């Protein structure tokens, strides 16, 4: 099974900061990667699909990049509502999906 | 508006069974693959099972293979998860999620609010 490793596992940042989260796949997955945001007590929300495509309604401060094994999620200027846990997910391996372990973004 | 509403969770003893349901609305259900994803208390997300639009392709995580069965009824706009031989490690919030494709080859663009399954004696 394809493993996804996110780094860092947790991150403290301030409003207005630029933040980058990394997701590394154990083997190449082309661009079959998504990013989700989850707030406490809520369901995950799709932010980015196909590694770099912004889901409709998601603010443009969120962006994704990468292909193959290395991917990044960048938030250009953190807003108070962005403090949450972020997960990457691969869907390259048909009907054998995996998520990264998550990155908790906290207020500094 | 897309809505996914899970039901069927509860407290169950180890070794027993439970059937989860997910009622879908706001989109053409039989055009899209569907999935179950779970989250143990305080832990990350784990994909459990997925099914293509016509039930022609089905997959399971190794952790549930042979114990869980996914199915769908397109006439009822519903997704199901039959869970047998439940274990303590199956305790989790179970989410129903809509695939962005019919073939179960995309990201999950809509999620329900989840139904809690607790396996304990």
């Amino acid at each position: 099974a394809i493993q996804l490793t996110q780094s860092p596992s947790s991150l403290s940042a301030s409003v207005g900061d630029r933040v980058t989260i990394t997701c590394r796949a154990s083997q190449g997955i082309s661009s079959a990667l998504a990013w989700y945001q989850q707030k406490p007590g809520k369901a995950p929300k799709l932010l980015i699909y196909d590694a770099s495509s912004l889901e409709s309604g998601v603010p443009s401060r969120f962006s994704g990049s990468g292909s193959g094994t290395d991917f990044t999620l960048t938030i250009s200027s953190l807003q108070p509502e962005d403090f949450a846990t972020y997960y990457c997910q691969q869907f390259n391996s048909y009907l054998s999906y995996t998520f990264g372990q998550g990155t908790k973004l906290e207020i500094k | 508006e897309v809505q996914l509403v899970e039901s069927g969770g509860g407290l169950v003893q180890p070794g027993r069974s439970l059937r989860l349901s997910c009622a879908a609305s706001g989109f053409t259900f039989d055009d899209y693959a569907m999935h179950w994803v779970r989250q143990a208390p305080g832990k990350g997300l784990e994909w459990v099972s997925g099914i293509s639009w016509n039930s022609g392709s089905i997959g399971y995580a190794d952790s549930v293979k042979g114990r869980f069965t996914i199915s769908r009824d397109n006439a009822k706009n519903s997704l199901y998860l039959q869970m047998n031989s439940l274990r303590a490690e199956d305790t989790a919030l179970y989410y129903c999620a809509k695939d962005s494709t019919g073939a179960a080859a995309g990201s999950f663009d809509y999620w329900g609010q989840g139904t809690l399954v607790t396996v304990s004696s």
Side-chain angles (χ1 to χ4, degrees):
Chain A
I2 298 173
Q3 307 297 321
L4 296 179
T5 304
Q6 288 183 232
S7 60
S9 295
S10 64
L11 174 61
S12 294
S14 301
V15 172
D17 284 354
R18 180 183 181 90
V19 166
T20 297
I21 299 169
T22 296
C23 179
R24 176 163 288 175
S26 59
Q27 63 190 73
I29 57 170
S30 185
S31 296
L33 188 101
W35 289 96
Y36 300 87
Q37 176 193 67
Q38 187 180 33
K39 296 182 179 180
K42 299 294 186 181
K45 173 187 174 183
L46 177 65
L47 300 175
I48 302 286
Y49 62 95
D50 294 346
S52 61
S53 296
L54 190 68
E55 175 70 354
S56 176
V58 174
S60 59
R61 62 181 180 272
F62 290 92
S63 64
S65 65
S67 67
T69 59
D70 294 309
F71 302 86
T72 59
L73 172 70
T74 299
I75 309 172
S76 60
S77 178
L78 270 175
Q79 298 302 300
E81 60 268 30
D82 299 337
F83 292 94
T85 299
Y86 293 84
Y87 295 92
C88 58
Q89 177 215 19
Q90 68 82 19
F91 47 93
N92 183 71
S93 185
Y94 189 58
L95 283 170
S96 180
Y97 302 88
T98 45
F99 289 89
Q101 83 277 15
T103 294
K104 187 173 184 180
L105 179 53
E106 299 174 305
I107 301 174
K108 183 183 287 185
Chain B
E1 177 193 7
V2 171
Q3 284 199 313
L4 299 170
V5 180
E6 303 93 337
S7 60
L11 175 63
V12 61
Q13 293 179 327
R16 304 298 290 264
S17 299
L18 209 57
R19 189 193 195 207
L20 305 184
S21 299
C22 171
S25 62
F27 65 102
T28 306
F29 183 71
D30 54 11
D31 277 352
Y32 294 95
M34 297 293 295
H35 302 271
W36 290 100
V37 177
R38 68 184 180 185
Q39 187 168 36
K43 302 298 184 181
L45 301 170
E46 179 188 16
W47 175 80
V48 173
S49 183
I51 185 169
S52 63
W53 68 277
N54 64 351
S55 305
S57 296
I58 287 174
Y60 299 96
D62 287 344
S63 57
V64 306
K65 202 170 291 183
R67 300 187 299 123
F68 290 11
T69 302
I70 192 172
S71 62
R72 63 189 294 162
D73 185 336
N74 287 345
K76 295 183 177 179
N77 288 351
S78 293
L79 176 72
Y80 306 101
L81 186 68
Q82 178 67 42
M83 304 187 295
N84 297 333
S85 304
L86 282 162
R87 305 167 180 167
E89 54 265 36
D90 295 319
T91 294
L93 186 63
Y94 284 74
Y95 293 105
C96 165
K98 172 186 168 292
D99 197 290
S100 59
T101 73
S107 51
F108 301 172
D109 53 4
Y110 290 93
W111 297 62
Q113 287 306 303
T115 186
L116 182 62
V117 173
T118 303
V119 183
S120 174
S121 55

